[in-house]
Amino acid sequence: MRFLNFTNSVTNFFLILFLITLGSIFFFTPSKLSENKMTEQWPKIELNQFSMYQINTDFVDMKVEGSGALQFDDYEILFGFLASRYNTHSKRTYEYISGEEVIKTGDIYTFPQGVVYTKSDGGSFWSENGVYDYQKEIFKGKGDFILSTLEGNFEGKNIIYNRKSQNIQAIDIVSKIFLDTNKNTSKKGKK
């Protein structure tokens, strides 16, 4: 009988050791789901100090520069972003849009950390954040904005700029309009 008790103890020891080994294999083996999530987070392409050109059938439509870029399967993140574009709709001026961080999904550019839009004819605006639809040529700001033009300064919320029609809309607008007294004075003096 003593021999049987000793055999049971040895068998029990190896049986428990076997169960612990199987349990640790399942516990420490990474799951396929976590592997897929990890591989989705790695960029396919990483760029530093880059310049890209978007060309249509007639001319270079847009030049994009940046300090860095990460391309994933369905979106891109651009850092130190500056895009310049020739505007054929408005007196042949150049337009620039820039932001510290931009998320590009298809033709949609999202500016989560602020955006500055400048025209070479003197107008510009800053928006707290916003989205630019490249195909529709419409910028929709979210949050506060400051618009500066030759005519004055304007502040408000949720600026919308339609590049094709050159229309600007917003809510809660406060403005400071510059009156040019020099032109009125010179016209009065000539009479």
Side-chain angles (χ1 to χ4, degrees):
M1 285 282 213
R2 229 173 154 194
F3 180 70
L4 288 175
N5 287 338
F6 178 73
T7 308
N8 270 344
S9 298
V10 171
T11 306
N12 288 340
F13 172 76
F14 283 111
L15 184 61
I16 291 171
L17 186 62
F18 178 71
L19 292 174
I20 290 173
T21 304
L22 283 179
S24 65
I25 289 173
F26 289 113
F27 182 73
F28 291 113
T29 303
S31 68
K32 297 262 185 207
L33 180 63
S34 65
E35 284 180 19
N36 289 340
K37 285 183 180 178
M38 286 177 55
T39 56
E40 288 176 9
Q41 299 302 318
W42 293 99
K44 296 188 314 184
I45 298 173
E46 182 175 347
L47 299 174
N48 291 309
Q49 302 301 325
F50 67 91
S51 294
M52 297 185 297
Y53 299 88
Q54 185 164 329
I55 301 170
N56 67 18
T57 56
D58 299 326
F59 56 90
V60 175
D61 189 40
M62 185 165 61
K63 178 183 178 185
V64 176
E65 301 172 73
S67 61
L70 301 172
Q71 183 184 50
F72 297 90
D73 288 333
D74 52 352
Y75 67 98
E76 300 169 6
I77 301 175
L78 309 164
F79 303 98
F81 175 84
L82 172 65
S84 53
R85 205 169 174 197
Y86 183 65
N87 188 344
T88 56
H89 305 295
S90 174
K91 302 176 191 172
R92 304 205 180 271
T93 59
Y94 284 92
E95 298 175 327
Y96 306 92
I97 190 166
S98 62
E100 287 300 313
E101 180 181 329
V102 179
I103 301 168
K104 181 182 180 290
T105 308
D107 287 331
I108 305 295
Y109 293 82
T110 303
F111 297 85
Q113 297 181 7
V115 58
V116 176
Y117 185 88
T118 308
K119 292 173 61 173
S120 62
D121 65 359
S124 67
F125 69 81
W126 165 86
S127 181
E128 196 171 357
N129 58 53
V131 176
Y132 179 68
D133 186 327
Y134 177 78
Q135 288 298 323
K136 294 179 181 177
E137 298 184 347
I138 295 175
F139 175 83
K140 292 183 179 181
K142 296 177 185 172
D144 295 334
F145 77 88
I146 299 171
L147 170 67
S148 297
T149 66
L150 298 174
E151 294 81 23
N153 294 328
F154 306 86
E155 296 179 14
K157 294 191 178 300
N158 302 340
I159 188 170
I160 298 173
Y161 171 60
N162 186 325
R163 183 176 183 262
K164 289 180 183 176
S165 67
Q166 296 295 300
N167 287 331
I168 296 175
Q169 299 174 350
I171 60 173
D172 297 336
I173 300 171
V174 176
S175 66
K176 180 187 282 186
I177 299 174
F178 304 129
L179 299 175
D180 191 350
T181 56
N182 292 333
K183 288 183 182 178
N184 293 337
T185 307
S186 63
K187 286 182 184 176
K188 289 180 182 177
K190 290 183 180 179
K191 284 185 180 181

